[in-house]
Amino acid sequence: MAGSTDRPSRLRRLRERAEQALSKEVPVDNDLSQLPSEDLRRLVHELRVHQIELDIQNEELRRARVEVEESRDRYTDLYDFAPVGYLTLSDKGLIKQINLTGSRLLGVERAFLIHRPLSRFVKQEDLSAYYEYWRELFRSG
């Protein structure tokens, strides 16, 4: 998995950020030797419970991330391999995305279509109708 070798350094940076945030807080009396042992046991118990809660939340976030990635992959597959051509245009009529069928219909590799105007692929005699449709689209929303 990409970035897994970075995990120790990310954790170290997270720890440093947490330490910095803690140092900016209003100082409290940290002399734990003055607390009764029962209070210390209760504090340790609370810290352990909070740690477990954080671990559970972290695991839920990991699962959610996997689900989102799988969903994105399914959407990408559906989009890319659809039997009809799909494309997404910018507000200036430039191709932002196009699926494989759309690319095949235009006879150009997908990489060469991105950021190109769709109007390049409209017949000369149909350009005025294309531009009128485009203007109406923005006029009407």
Side-chain angles (χ1 to χ4, degrees), residues 2 5 8 103 124:
T5 57
S103 170
Q124 188 66 36

Side-chain angles (χ1 to χ4, degrees), residues 98-138:
I98 188 165
N99 69 353
L100 295 171
T101 303
S103 170
R104 194 171 45 255
L105 287 170
L106 294 176
V108 179
E109 252 186 79
R110 186 164 41 175
F112 297 114
L113 290 169
I114 305 302
H115 304 297
R116 301 289 189 270
L118 178 62
S119 60
R120 284 188 181 173
F121 301 95
V122 176
K123 288 182 180 179
Q124 188 66 36
E125 60 266 20
D126 295 329
L127 272 175
S128 63
Y130 169 79
Y131 287 126
E132 180 55 36
Y133 176 78
W134 195 251
R135 281 189 294 278
E136 179 58 29
L137 179 69
F138 282 100

